[in-house]
Amino acid sequence: MKKFIVGWLVLLVLVGCGTPKDHINNKEAATIEGYVTATQESRFLVVSNEPVPSNDSNTQFVDALWVTTTKTLEIGDYVKVWADTIDESYPGQTNTEKIEVLPSTVKSTLSPKDIIIHVAKKLEHNPIITNINYDPKKKEWILNYFPRTQGTDQLVKLTIQDQQPIE
């Protein structure tokens, strides 16, 4: 009976020491993927382009992360960021292990970069801009942003016509 219990304990310890497949895959997955919406010296605010509902069904949460890197980024760049340690604040803060700038595939008069720069200039400090999409049939850009007014946690929808100059 003792051997049986010891055998199970050894097996339990060995299983517990293994690395789950999900942990390995998470190391390969980007920490955040989104648009650069603000810059401050060598750090950049990366905002996820896909907000998620929070526990309160009336609000949405948008993942945002201040990323410190030696790489040169610009407002409007779409990036994937890999990081290990993130300071728990909102937006979070991290140094990057790896960062990749992804090219835009949108066929329009304006680029996502044009839209983000235009909206960021009109919004308050460090804008949380998300859900940036182009509707080619209507020839318009649709996005959401947080207005940053006290007590407001609702995303505001904004539509911009795909034309030069931006109105």
Side-chain angles (χ1 to χ4, degrees):
M1 183 69 174
K2 255 185 175 179
K3 289 181 183 180
F4 179 73
I5 293 173
V6 171
W8 273 106
L9 287 174
V10 169
L11 182 61
L12 185 62
V13 169
L14 289 175
V15 169
C17 291
T19 304
K21 188 176 181 180
D22 289 343
H23 178 70
I24 294 169
N25 290 339
N26 285 341
K27 186 67 176 165
E28 294 172 3
T31 305
I32 189 170
E33 182 176 329
Y35 286 102
V36 174
T37 63
T39 63
Q40 289 180 349
E41 297 175 16
S42 64
R43 67 184 206 148
F44 307 90
L45 182 60
V46 178
V47 179
S48 172
N49 201 38
E50 297 180 22
V52 294
S54 68
N55 292 340
D56 176 0
S57 61
N58 295 327
T59 62
Q60 289 186 313
F61 174 76
V62 178
D63 198 10
L65 189 60
W66 278 108
V67 176
T68 302
T69 180
T70 56
K71 190 167 191 153
T72 303
L73 300 175
E74 297 177 355
I75 291 177
D77 283 344
Y78 190 78
V79 297
K80 279 186 173 184
V81 176
W82 288 264
D84 238 353
T85 306
I86 298 173
D87 291 341
E88 296 297 322
S89 60
Y90 187 76
Q93 300 176 44
T94 189
N95 291 315
T96 62
E97 290 180 358
K98 176 182 168 184
I99 192 162
E100 180 181 337
V101 178
L102 303 174
S104 174
T105 58
V106 177
K107 304 291 185 218
S108 63
T109 303
L110 301 170
S111 69
K113 192 175 279 195
D114 295 329
I115 296 297
I116 293 170
I117 289 170
H118 173 75
V119 174
K121 284 180 184 176
K122 293 184 180 264
L123 296 178
E124 293 179 33
H125 188 63
N126 305 330
I128 302 295
I129 304 168
T130 188
N131 260 8
I132 302 162
N133 293 299
Y134 178 66
D135 184 339
K137 290 181 183 177
K138 294 181 179 179
K139 296 189 185 254
E140 63 186 16
W141 289 88
I142 301 161
L143 59 91
N144 292 297
Y145 67 91
F146 278 114
R148 297 281 189 158
T149 56
Q150 186 127 0
T152 302
D153 56 0
Q154 291 293 316
L155 287 169
V156 175
K157 184 177 180 178
L158 179 63
T159 302
I160 300 172
Q161 292 301 310
D162 187 38
Q163 61 189 14
Q164 289 283 3
I166 302 174
E167 295 176 9

